[in-house]
């Protein structure tokens, strides 16, 4: 999870619209129009979400996408991994093996075990992934519904 792109944010917004739509399928065109973005951009996101079991495609004239399971069972981390794939936050370059001060052969004490910098980065990534796994689409959907005025759907 190196860098979270706009694809993640748009995907989550699309999924929130699908929660609101219930069993009614929404097409990638519908979802793009709701957000004012390119339908082709949205169309590239949904095969990834479908492959991850987050959405299901419904065929036909009134086809589109629906959630594959309840929003309470879908975490932010699952969406991120579906869209971005799993990539580590930090890729250690083992620079400690090339420190000029040590010459061609660094001392064993300097290179034994896990790199101390890498260890900190691993803990940071674990904390971030844990937080993302702790929040579901239902959590966010509920917060949005509470913020919206009662007549929002009418508007």
């Amino acid at each position: 999870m190196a860098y979270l792109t706009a694809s993640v944010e748009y995907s989550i917004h699309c999924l929130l619209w699908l929660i609101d739509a219930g069993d009614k399928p929404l097409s990638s065109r519908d979802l793009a129009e709701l957000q004012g973005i390119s339908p082709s951009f949205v169309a590239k996101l949904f095969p990834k979400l479908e492959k991850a079991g987050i959405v299901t495609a419904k065929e036909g004239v009134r086809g589109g996408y629906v959630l594959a399971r309840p929003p309470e069972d879908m975490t932010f981390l699952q969406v991120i991994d579906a869209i971005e794939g799993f990539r580590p936050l930090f890729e250690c370059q083992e620079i400690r093996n090339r420190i000029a001060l040590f010459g061609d052969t660094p001392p064993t004490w300097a290179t034994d075990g896990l790199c101390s910098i890498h260890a900190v980065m691993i803990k940071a990534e674990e904390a971030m992934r844990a937080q993302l796994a702790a929040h579901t689409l239902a959590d966010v959907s509920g917060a949005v519904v509470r913020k919206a005025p009662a007549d929002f759907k009418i508007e």
Side-chain angles (χ1 to χ4, degrees):
M1 158 183 8
Y3 174 76
L4 302 181
T5 65
S7 296
V8 169
E9 187 174 4
Y10 282 116
S11 294
I12 292 170
H13 277 277
C14 287
L15 294 170
L16 294 176
W17 284 106
L18 290 180
I19 291 170
D20 194 45
D23 292 335
K24 179 186 173 217
L26 294 177
S27 69
S28 54
R29 182 171 299 285
D30 294 334
L31 293 163
E33 287 176 8
L34 286 167
Q35 298 179 77
I37 58 176
S38 163
S40 62
F41 175 70
V42 174
K44 291 177 185 174
L45 302 174
F46 273 81
K48 294 176 181 182
L49 295 170
E50 187 174 17
K51 184 179 178 185
I54 294 171
V55 298
T56 302
K58 300 290 183 182
E59 301 293 327
V61 176
R62 301 254 187 248
Y65 293 95
V66 295
L67 295 179
R69 54 187 196 272
E72 296 83 14
D73 297 339
M74 289 188 241
T75 68
F76 271 54
L77 182 60
Q78 291 167 333
V79 176
I80 291 166
D81 285 345
I83 296 300
E84 301 290 351
F86 177 79
R87 296 186 317 245
L89 184 63
F90 176 78
E91 291 185 24
C92 186
Q93 301 300 308
E94 286 295 335
I95 292 170
R96 63 190 178 157
N97 287 319
R98 297 185 302 277
I99 295 175
L101 177 65
F102 297 144
D104 291 338
T105 311
T108 313
W109 61 263
T111 58
D112 272 353
L114 182 64
C115 170
S116 300
I117 295 168
H118 193 185
V120 170
M121 298 301 187
I122 288 170
K123 286 185 184 291
E125 182 169 359
E126 287 171 351
M128 186 163 107
R129 290 182 69 80
Q131 276 300 303
L132 292 168
H135 297 282
T136 68
L137 294 177
D139 297 335
V140 174
S141 177
V144 171
V145 168
R146 286 189 299 275
K147 289 173 73 173
D151 62 346
F152 175 71
K153 288 187 182 212
I154 296 168
E155 293 175 19

